[in-house]
Amino acid sequence: LVRRVQELALDADFPGVMVETQNTNWPACKLYQRAGFSLEGFDRSLYKGLEEKSDEIAMFWYWFSPEAA
């Protein structure tokens, strides 16, 4: 599914794809890393808006099209 989204981004001439996951979701982090995404940012407060006691950190992963470079 991730590879298909990357193909669609290329077909649409998009510069890339951004995904967000939590620091507690290691399988997703590993998947994005294997698919060529890089961790470019995080937000320690995003989930506190949903649950004040949340310790989860939002992680933002980016994949840039080779043509966009």
Side-chain angles (χ1 to χ4, degrees):
L1 186 58
V2 172
R3 293 281 187 228
R4 182 64 182 134
V5 169
Q6 290 169 316
E7 291 170 5
L8 290 169
L10 290 172
D11 291 345
D13 291 325
F14 290 163
V17 177
M18 187 276 289
V19 295
E20 179 269 328
T21 191
Q22 300 83 16
N23 64 313
T24 56
N25 191 346
W26 284 108
C29 293
K30 292 291 188 183
L31 172 72
Y32 297 136
Q33 187 177 33
R34 282 193 311 269
F37 286 72
S38 59
L39 180 60
E40 298 289 337
F42 62 92
D43 186 336
R44 295 180 186 274
S45 300
L46 183 68
Y47 298 111
K48 291 196 185 299
L50 300 174
E51 181 182 335
E52 188 175 332
K53 296 179 183 179
S54 176
D55 289 332
E56 290 184 350
I57 299 169
M59 301 175 73
F60 301 96
W61 296 82
Y62 291 81
W63 172 82
F64 296 101
S65 162
E67 288 84 16

